[in-house]
Amino acid sequence: MKKIVICGDCGSESLTRAIISACKNNGGAAVVSGNGISETNDNPYFLIAKLHNPYEINCKGGIIVFGKAVENKTKINAEKTVAVLDTANTNALNIVRDSGCAVIGCSMSGHDTISVSGLAGFPTKMISLQRTIRTLDGDIIEPHDFQVKLKEEMPVYPLLAGCAVLLLGGISSADGYSF
């Protein structure tokens, strides 16, 4: 099971909804929250934990997805872990700076690892993996474009973060993703 920690998502919780939807439709998910544990199928591929603003995160071999409300005080012990963040999020950047985490930047910028490839409208978006990444299992994924079909419109960063989680989790994008 691939571990995902979402921290600093508040308000509309669009990031959490996007990650859960992506994982649910592409392998299944068990979600741990203050309300208990829910599963989307009998053998979920992803384990998702949502933490508002933890003091410390110990996550070895997983993915930490940072929302815009993460506070700079969070400490991480994240051996063999990948951080997914919006590169405009200075608090998240400060948290991962000396952590040893690999970082996947997600935004509209051509400098980031994952970006929107085109401005195609709803319900289909084209996403671009701009550089080579390594999955949690060590496989290499080369740069390419792929399609995402959405059930509902969503902000850019949650969409890109959901794609990053799936790619890092080893879910093939050859047939596109469905959120």
Side-chain angles (χ1 to χ4, degrees):
M1 197 178 291
K2 307 299 180 198
K3 298 178 284 191
I4 303 162
V5 175
I6 303 169
C7 78
D9 189 24
C10 66
S12 69
E13 294 195 351
S14 60
L15 178 60
T16 300
R17 284 195 329 273
I19 300 293
I20 291 171
S21 177
C23 293
K24 177 178 141 183
N25 292 328
N26 298 279
V31 181
V32 179
S33 69
N35 298 330
I37 300 173
S38 64
E39 293 185 17
T40 61
N41 65 16
D42 291 337
N43 191 18
Y45 188 75
F46 294 98
L47 173 64
I48 302 169
K50 181 186 175 241
L51 307 171
H52 179 63
N53 264 311
Y55 176 73
E56 185 172 3
I57 300 172
N58 290 299
C59 179
K60 295 183 180 176
I63 304 166
I64 301 173
V65 183
F66 289 98
K68 64 183 175 184
V70 68
E71 295 177 8
N72 200 6
K73 67 179 183 178
T74 302
K75 306 279 186 251
I76 59 175
N77 176 12
E79 182 181 319
K80 297 182 181 177
T81 297
V82 180
V84 175
L85 52 82
D86 181 339
T87 51
N89 185 338
T90 56
N91 282 347
L93 287 169
N94 288 332
I95 290 167
V96 300
R97 180 166 285 124
D98 296 319
S99 70
C101 282
V103 175
I104 302 292
C106 301
S107 77
M108 293 289 287
S109 169
H111 299 287
D112 284 318
T113 307
I114 300 177
S115 183
V116 175
S117 175
L119 297 176
F122 179 79
T124 303
K125 301 285 185 187
M126 289 301 295
I127 307 299
S128 180
L129 175 63
Q130 308 266 76
R131 55 184 99 338
T132 302
I133 63 170
R134 187 175 299 274
T135 68
L136 293 177
D137 292 332
D139 297 328
I140 301 292
I141 301 176
E142 297 292 334
H144 67 283
D145 290 346
F146 56 93
Q147 212 176 56
V148 177
K149 293 180 185 167
L150 301 172
K151 292 180 183 167
E152 63 183 64
E153 195 66 64
M154 68 178 58
V156 172
Y157 174 65
L159 168 64
L160 297 176
C163 291
V165 164
L166 295 176
L167 289 167
L168 291 165
I171 304 295
S172 172
S173 61
D175 295 326
Y177 296 138
S178 171
F179 284 33

